[in-house]
Amino acid sequence: MAEPKTKYDRQLRIWGEQGQAALEKASVCLLNCGPTGSETLKNLVLGGIGSITVIDGSKVEVGDLGNNFMLDESCVGESKAKSVCAFLQELNDAVKAKFIEEYPEALIEMNPPFFSQFTLVVATQLGEEKMIKLDRICREANVMLIFARSYGLTGFVRISVKEHTVVESKPDHFLDDLRLNNPWPELRKFAETFDLNVPDPVAHKHTPYVVILIKMSEEWTNSHGGSLPSTREEKREFKELLKSKMVAIDEDNYKEAIEASFKVFAPPGISSDLQQIINDSSVELSSTSSDFWVMVAALKEFVATEGGGEAPLEGSIPDMTSSTEHYVNLQKIYQAKAEADCLAIEQRVRINLKKLGREPESISKATIKSFCRNARKLKVCRYRLLEDEFSNPSVPDIQKYLTDEDFSVAMGFYILLRAVDRFAANYNNYPGEFDGPMDEDISRLKTTAVSVLNDLGCNGSTLTEDLINEMCRFGAAELHAVAAFIGGVASQEVIKLITKQFVPMCGTFIFNGIDHKSQLLTL
């Protein structure tokens, strides 16, 4: 067996050893192992999930061989859960895999406590009634839940968790934490040791751009009543001022300063998103407060006191044109400030833990350090109970989506995916599921869709005939290509939730295979 570091080399570069360890400790339950569920688990098994439990009471039929790569001819007539489980186990022998030959609907009804043993449940191809019940069960047991479904050329993925907090959100683009517009004393003192008018051309072209911007910002504020550039014209003037300081055309440090000048213009202090988090009611700590909120409470105190309105410094600086000596000294100044800020936060965390009657060292130093390094990028995701979304929808949002040309088809599929479940409950089959004329099913589905719209408070709204016809033409089929895509999205969200890295989707993800679109509906 390959060593884990070799085996999982590529993904370790994305979520690190800590993320991989979280995956390897996780226990995932899959409900229904058709193509959508099998594709979801395949990705997780290859990624090294700790253990999987496959729940499915059906037998493999000949038709299953055409859309599920986890089955072959020898499986026909056998337990689908057993067959899929065996194929998945072959993909990664480090994963513990077991199956239960039972219909998920029966487990939901007869044995709700069963689900409390898992880290996360992936529920595929469930009807609306059972989704609502399972959602309630998992919420009460504090088990993360993801719904996934593929239906012809459409499908959806929806997360359901009370609250999910993310420290390592890893945004694609985020402003470097350099404090150019609000330098602390040590950084300002370091900048003061430089003379931008130095006659030595070598020294001039090796002054770090951080120093150039701090000194030029100070020069600007001294002549502009203490204000930094704010208007477009002032920002242009500031760039021209930087350009005027160049003494040679090949001074890359000044070119970097001009390109990075926007970092000076950013307002000091914390972002509105972080302000919202530190003002959250969960900052009022209690015996049930999570480690995340204990650290946020410490962060709030820090921002109001030692931080002077700022979050703890991250402590890293980007690459830049500079002499090695200047760069290393600058790096040390940023690292020293970051360590001092982290120590201040750590002391406050220990005090908070002691007040709560917990072991003051129960949150590790490494956890606090990671929190401080990522403090500006914290995220809190909260998800509506599925029952609330269905019974108490946001009518303005639904109407907005229905009338928006870009979102109308996605919203139409959302309505129709609910309508087909209601159709199945009334007529014991899905529209277009059996061979024969579809006119009656089209008429019935249209009526059912109108009923769903009325229940959502959208009286008078209608869906296009083409969309209703397509939904009947799908015949509730799980197409492998669509199932593989939906399974890929679902497994990606599973990894985000388990590793607590990156920001999971907030809303209902709808795939529209007709127009090749993926959209997120927030309802």
Side-chain angles (χ1 to χ4, degrees):
M1 190 174 74
E3 285 292 320
K5 282 193 177 180
T6 307
K7 189 177 187 178
Y8 303 125
D9 177 63
R10 287 187 178 184
Q11 62 203 49
L12 281 168
R13 300 174 194 213
I14 299 171
W15 52 70
E17 291 185 17
Q18 195 175 352
Q20 188 63 33
L23 280 178
E24 290 172 12
K25 285 178 190 171
S27 171
V28 172
C29 175
L30 172 70
L31 304 186
N32 291 317
C33 58
T36 308
S38 297
E39 288 291 333
T40 304
L41 272 199
K42 176 202 73 179
N43 298 325
L44 297 175
V45 166
L46 289 171
I49 202 79
S51 68
I52 58 168
T53 301
V54 181
I55 315 287
D56 198 314
S58 62
K59 303 289 185 186
V60 178
E61 298 175 3
V62 174
D64 294 321
L65 307 183
N67 66 359
N68 196 333
F69 288 165
M70 303 296 149
L71 302 170
D72 63 19
E73 289 179 3
S74 68
C75 302
V76 176
E78 298 291 322
S79 158
K80 191 184 285 186
K82 180 182 179 182
S83 302
V84 167
C85 196
F87 272 85
L88 288 169
Q89 183 74 81
E90 285 181 25
L91 296 175
N92 192 342
D93 55 9
V95 175
K96 294 173 187 172
K98 67 176 183 177
F99 68 93
I100 296 174
E101 195 176 348
E102 189 168 348
Y103 288 100
E105 291 83 356
L107 267 179
I108 292 167
E109 290 293 337
M110 308 301 293
N111 191 9
F114 169 81
F115 298 99
S116 62
Q117 64 186 292
F118 301 105
T119 309
L120 185 145
V121 174
V122 179
T124 66
Q125 308 304 108
L126 282 185
E128 185 174 306
E129 182 191 347
K130 295 298 183 283
M131 284 169 63
I132 288 170
K133 286 186 178 178
L134 180 63
D135 190 21
R136 207 178 299 120
I137 290 165
C138 289
R139 288 276 176 125
E140 287 171 5
N142 207 26
V143 172
M144 295 181 284
L145 175 63
I146 290 184
F147 294 108
R149 186 177 190 178
S150 59
Y151 193 105
L153 291 175
T154 187
F156 77 88
V157 176
R158 188 193 189 277
I159 296 168
S160 189
V161 188
K162 275 183 193 174
E163 177 183 275
H164 180 70
T165 55
V166 187
V167 173
E168 295 184 64
S169 61
K170 300 184 177 179
D172 291 333
H173 306 287
F174 213 80
L175 202 62
D176 294 319
D177 191 14
L178 298 177
R179 308 284 167 90
L180 301 177
N181 51 11
N182 189 18
W184 62 98
E186 291 80 4
L187 180 59
R188 192 182 295 277
K189 190 176 178 183
F190 177 74
E192 285 170 359
T193 63
F194 289 81
D195 179 8
L196 296 187
N197 298 315
V198 62
D200 182 354
V202 175
H204 197 268
K205 67 165 61 174
H206 285 90
T207 302
Y209 83 74
V210 166
V211 171
I212 296 169
L213 286 174
I214 289 172
K215 290 187 76 69
M216 294 307 294
S217 297
E218 193 173 325
E219 184 178 319
W220 175 278
T221 54
N222 288 340
S223 60
H224 289 78
S227 299
L228 285 165
S230 57
T231 65
R232 182 180 292 183
E233 182 58 30
E234 284 178 342
K235 290 173 184 178
R236 189 191 62 76
E237 280 181 35
F238 184 75
K239 288 180 182 180
E240 290 298 325
L241 185 63
L242 288 170
K243 199 179 287 186
S244 70
K245 295 291 181 179
M246 293 176 70
V247 295
I249 198 165
D250 63 342
E251 291 190 317
D252 289 337
N253 57 335
Y254 276 86
K255 291 176 185 175
E256 288 169 358
I258 293 165
E259 286 175 10
S261 60
F262 69 93
K263 296 174 184 178
V264 172
F265 311 146
I270 62 174
S271 68
S272 57
D273 285 349
L274 184 55
Q275 187 69 55
Q276 195 173 345
I277 290 172
I278 67 173
N279 288 342
D280 194 280
S281 59
S282 296
V283 173
E284 301 299 322
L285 301 179
S286 70
S287 58
T288 58
S289 293
S290 67
D291 288 354
F292 176 85
W293 288 111
V294 171
M295 291 189 287
V296 171
L299 172 63
K300 182 175 185 176
E301 293 166 3
F302 174 87
V303 170
T305 53
E306 300 101 326
E310 298 277 6
L313 190 75
E314 287 178 27
S316 59
I317 58 174
D319 195 17
M320 64 188 78
T321 303
S322 168
S323 68
T324 304
E325 183 186 356
H326 292 335
Y327 187 83
V328 169
N329 288 338
L330 189 62
Q331 202 170 41
K332 284 178 180 176
I333 289 167
Y334 274 87
Q335 286 172 348
K337 169 67 172 166
E339 285 169 14
D341 286 355
C342 187
L343 183 61
I345 294 270
E346 184 186 350
Q347 289 169 345
R348 292 186 178 278
V349 168
R350 305 291 179 222
I351 291 167
N352 288 342
L353 287 168
K354 197 170 182 180
K355 284 179 184 175
L356 294 172
R358 296 188 202 168
E359 173 56 47
E361 304 296 322
S362 60
I363 302 178
S364 71
K365 203 178 189 80
T367 300
I368 296 170
K369 191 173 181 180
S370 174
F371 178 86
C372 292
R373 193 168 57 246
N374 294 285
R376 296 188 307 140
K377 306 162 193 169
L378 303 177
K379 291 290 178 185
V380 176
C381 304
R382 294 186 174 113
Y383 299 85
R384 288 186 77 185
L385 198 63
L386 204 61
E387 189 173 15
D388 289 345
E389 182 182 311
F390 289 170
S391 61
N392 186 28
S394 171
V395 179
D397 284 335
I398 294 172
Q399 289 176 331
K400 180 187 74 177
Y401 286 134
L402 284 170
T403 53
D404 187 321
E405 191 178 334
D406 288 336
F407 283 89
S408 59
V409 175
M411 191 66 221
F413 275 135
Y414 175 88
I415 302 292
L416 288 169
L417 284 164
R418 293 187 58 191
V420 294
D421 283 339
R422 200 172 288 190
F423 184 106
N426 292 336
Y427 303 109
N428 295 317
N429 66 275
Y430 284 99
E433 191 173 6
F434 301 117
D435 291 337
M438 285 198 299
D439 291 351
E440 188 177 13
D441 279 1
I442 289 170
S443 176
R444 285 173 170 176
L445 182 58
K446 186 176 181 180
T447 303
T448 309
V450 169
S451 170
V452 171
L453 282 164
N454 289 343
D455 289 349
L456 290 171
C458 298
N459 302 55
S461 297
T462 56
L463 304 178
T464 65
E465 296 281 346
D466 285 349
L467 211 55
I468 293 167
N469 292 352
E470 281 297 302
M471 209 67 179
C472 289
R473 195 171 69 84
F474 296 160
E478 278 188 88
L479 305 179
H480 180 263
V482 176
F485 181 77
I486 294 293
V489 173
S491 57
Q492 173 182 278
E493 298 308 303
V494 169
I495 289 168
K496 289 178 186 176
L497 290 171
I498 290 173
T499 61
K500 290 199 166 188
Q501 295 182 26
F502 302 95
V503 183
M505 297 186 299
C506 287
T508 302
F509 172 88
I510 300 285
F511 173 63
N512 166 9
I514 296 172
D515 300 318
H516 309 289
K517 273 186 178 180
S518 298
Q519 290 169 304
L520 201 61
L521 303 178
T522 308
L523 299 166

